[in-house]
Amino acid sequence: LVLGGGARGAAEECLRLAEELGAAVVTTANGKGIVAETHPLSLGVSLHTRAVRRWLGERDTVLAIGTELAESDLWDTPPALGGILIRADIDPAQMYTGVPADIPLVGDARGTLRALLAAGSLAGGHDGRTGQDTRSGGGAGTAEGTGTAQPDADALHRAVAALRAERDEETQSQDAHLLPYLTAIRSVLPANAVITSDSAQCCYFGAIPHLPVAPEGRYLHPTGFGTLGYALPAAIGAKTADPGRAVVALSGDGGLQFSVQELATAVQLQLPLPVVVFDNGGYGEIRDEMRARGDRPTAVDLPPVDLPALARAYGGHGARAASPDALAEALAKALVTPGPTLITVPEEHSR
């Protein structure tokens, strides 16, 4: 299953379908967390990795729900699919854009999936949690009427875990230094927290693929727009809409400074709002791309800014986190402190 933002209202149905089919789940950034990313069938947001793109091309059937399958979702051109593509989308125009559907299903995601589940024609009675046929008259692990052996749950989960490990090994050089900090963030946040994301390396190499989100949580990312400075105003909006819910903004130092003046708004509201900034001294992704091309990095390094002091100057709070434990402590405090708290993780400590 490939889940996009259009499947958000059908989280329960997506999970049930995945388990009954014995199908692994991969999502776009907008679909992050529709199926809990700790579920043994989940590959999270990893359509951008070679391992998952190869795996997707080898599937007999791909069911894409509520996603445009566009380059902004995939971070690349659409993968070549060797099997049948079923697309479920409320917009009929999406059926033949990007990757044309072999079988188009036009309709609301929840209603469409409920109809599929009720028909039972796809699931074949297989339970991905137990590996057993759930209907009378079918042999254990066999799809009724097809004679096709279904993988048992343990084997399926091992296969997904192996693919997840291959994906992680592929991206290790880019994101390994971020993982302890993301673990620290997750350890503090409640399951229903809202996380807002900037166009920053700590987000698209870090939080998007590696910070688990459950269906009751939300991850808001400026998909497709490359927006710098999105995280802070988006977090203010989310916190204003639901003051009792934990909200945290994740950003880089370059992106934050596109909208850092919104700290004044956050101070006026006096709602607890942690702003975690991974400071790599400029526009790290553009810098790395220049180096990868053999170019001399130009106009990508920013003069050092004492961002915690700037937050205090606005009337908020500021802290530095030189270790994952320090980040967890600062974040926990910020979640109960009125007003914004800007927490920087200096690049020399996160690498």
Side-chain angles (χ1 to χ4, degrees):
L1 304 186
V2 178
L3 307 181
R8 177 67 61 188
E12 181 180 341
E13 290 77 11
C14 288
L15 175 59
R16 183 181 161 199
L17 188 62
E19 291 182 336
E20 291 196 9
L21 284 169
V25 177
V26 62
T27 78
T28 67
N30 286 348
K32 182 175 174 65
I34 291 175
V35 168
E37 294 182 294
T38 54
H39 193 284
L41 289 177
S42 175
L43 291 163
V45 184
S46 52
L47 286 165
H48 60 291
T49 63
R50 291 188 303 274
V52 171
R53 289 169 67 86
R54 184 202 70 241
W55 164 83
L56 202 64
E58 295 169 351
R59 298 308 92 199
D60 296 320
T61 305
V62 173
L63 174 53
I65 306 165
T67 171
E68 296 177 351
L69 292 177
E71 291 187 18
S72 58
D73 296 315
L74 306 170
W75 305 0
D76 204 337
T77 55
L81 300 180
I84 295 170
L85 174 63
I86 305 170
R87 295 188 68 168
D89 202 287
I90 200 168
D91 182 0
Q94 292 301 327
M95 294 302 164
Y96 304 104
T97 59
V99 187
D102 296 301
I103 301 175
L105 302 175
V106 178
D108 169 76
R110 177 180 290 178
T112 300
L113 296 191
R114 285 182 174 178
L116 284 176
L117 288 161
S121 57
L122 283 175
H126 178 68
D127 190 326
R129 294 163 293 187
T130 66
Q132 299 298 310
D133 193 302
T134 58
R135 299 177 304 195
S136 61
T142 302
E144 182 180 348
T146 67
T148 303
Q150 298 288 328
D152 66 70
D154 288 342
L156 179 62
H157 296 167
R158 285 195 299 271
V160 174
L163 182 57
R164 197 181 298 120
E166 184 181 354
R167 171 205 70 187
D168 292 346
E169 183 178 358
E170 176 186 328
T171 60
Q172 184 79 5
S173 62
Q174 287 181 315
D175 53 27
H177 68 287
L178 296 167
L179 300 186
Y181 291 90
L182 298 172
T183 299
I185 291 171
R186 184 70 273 171
S187 71
V188 173
L189 293 180
N192 71 339
V194 176
I195 302 161
T196 66
S197 169
D198 223 315
S199 289
Q201 288 182 316
C202 64
C203 296
Y204 39 74
F205 292 140
I208 291 177
H210 297 298
L211 183 62
V213 171
E216 59 266 40
R218 290 292 182 272
Y219 189 93
L220 307 180
H221 183 71
T223 302
F225 292 99
T227 307
L228 289 157
Y230 169 84
L232 176 56
I236 293 170
K239 190 66 177 177
T240 303
D242 196 346
R245 198 167 182 175
V247 178
V248 60
L250 298 181
S251 187
D253 57 301
L256 176 76
Q257 292 183 73
F258 275 69
S259 58
V260 70
Q261 69 277 5
E262 296 300 337
L263 286 171
T265 303
V267 168
Q268 286 181 324
L269 294 171
Q270 281 297 290
L271 296 171
L273 185 66
V275 182
V276 179
V277 181
F278 286 79
D279 188 346
N280 59 16
Y283 305 111
E285 176 62 11
I286 302 172
R287 181 194 296 134
D288 288 352
E289 289 177 355
M290 288 179 171
R291 287 173 176 161
R293 291 195 302 265
D295 297 339
R296 179 172 61 87
T298 303
V300 290
D301 297 316
L302 296 175
V305 177
D306 189 340
L307 293 172
L310 181 60
R312 290 191 291 269
Y314 274 108
H317 315 277
R320 282 184 172 80
S323 70
D325 287 344
L327 177 56
E329 181 180 351
L331 182 57
K333 181 179 179 181
L335 286 169
V336 295
T337 301
T341 301
L342 194 151
I343 307 165
T344 58
V345 179
E347 176 72 10
E348 64 269 21
H349 293 296
S350 64
R351 281 196 182 275

